[in-house]
Amino acid sequence: MSEATIAKKAELVDVVAQKFADASGIVVADSRGLTVGQDTELRKQLREAGVEFKVIKNSILRRAAEKAGYADLTDQFVGPSAIAFSNEDAIAPAKILSDFAKTADALEVKAGVIEGKVSSKEEIVAIASLPNREGLLSMHQFAMSHTLSKLLQTKQKKQHNFSKCFIEAFKKIDTCYLNARKSHLNLAY
């Protein structure tokens, strides 16, 4: 192998290692056997989600993963390997590839990295079943607003009850005052 080829491959390893380092979500898959139509649709879905999807030689993937600190992932680079990188949504590659694999038997999720943790196929599939970040934030916001709404309703009921008690007490005091005044007036005449 010439020095130029070695230098080119070393540069490619550096580029892929940087992709590993920058990504919040990575999924390794075997896409062998997908039809052209399926592959096109999968790439379209990934691109729309901001996920980069590449088929890269295993030797380059192994070196790049080791360089980026993901040596535990290197045993997954056997046979044809496609890799999905996401810098924004850590769950997006797992979600899209896992969902797509349900309809395309040829696609197999092998493993991945979520937020810096190497994850098995089972963990990737489990994570993919979770709602995305926006969905989780929406659920959290609903839970918080529902809790605050209930708290406010309880407070308002207590205030209402307090006000009601205060008004009743005031009425009793007023009645006692009027009765005492009448008594006083009757005594004066």
Side-chain angles (χ1 to χ4, degrees), residues 135-147:
L136 288 172
L137 288 173
S138 175
M139 290 168 58
H140 180 69
Q141 182 181 10
F142 173 77
M144 290 298 293
S145 65
H146 182 70
T147 302

Side-chain angles (χ1 to χ4, degrees), residues 1-175:
M1 205 178 321
S2 71
E3 286 185 36
T5 305
I6 292 172
K8 189 176 179 182
K9 286 186 178 186
E11 183 181 333
L12 184 57
V13 168
D14 290 340
V15 168
V16 175
Q18 190 60 49
K19 288 184 186 297
F20 271 104
D22 293 343
S24 59
I26 302 168
V27 175
V28 180
D30 181 351
S31 61
R32 180 180 32 186
L34 287 180
T35 65
V36 172
Q38 289 173 323
D39 187 58
T40 303
E41 179 60 28
L42 175 61
R43 288 175 185 273
K44 178 184 171 208
Q45 288 179 21
L46 290 165
R47 191 173 38 257
E48 287 172 354
V51 177
E52 186 178 355
F53 188 67
K54 300 260 185 211
V55 176
I56 302 172
K57 290 180 80 170
N58 288 328
S59 59
I60 292 172
L61 286 173
R62 275 190 218 99
R63 289 184 181 119
E66 286 173 359
K67 189 172 185 174
Y70 297 122
D72 293 345
L73 195 60
T74 58
D75 60 334
Q76 298 301 320
F77 302 127
V78 178
S81 296
I83 191 158
F85 298 99
S86 176
N87 295 348
E88 297 161 13
D89 185 355
I91 297 174
K95 190 170 214 45
I96 294 168
L97 288 168
S98 294
D99 288 348
F100 200 86
K102 292 175 186 173
T103 59
D105 294 336
L107 181 66
E108 178 192 354
V109 173
K110 294 181 178 181
V113 178
I114 304 293
E115 297 290 341
K117 180 190 176 287
V118 175
S119 304
S120 68
K121 173 184 177 176
E122 293 76 20
E123 291 171 322
I124 294 293
V125 171
I127 288 169
S129 66
L130 296 172
N132 63 8
R133 184 177 190 275
E134 287 76 23
L136 288 172
L137 288 173
S138 175
M139 290 168 58
H140 180 69
Q141 182 181 10
F142 173 77
M144 290 298 293
S145 65
H146 182 70
T147 302
L148 290 173
S149 175
K150 287 293 186 186
L151 181 65
L152 185 59
Q153 287 174 357
T154 303
K155 185 178 181 212
Q156 286 174 339
K157 283 181 183 177
K158 286 182 179 180
Q159 282 180 335
H160 177 71
N161 289 342
F162 177 76
S163 298
K164 198 173 175 181
C165 290
F166 184 75
I167 290 169
E168 290 298 318
F170 185 74
K171 284 181 182 176
K172 286 183 181 179
I173 291 170
D174 193 41
T175 304

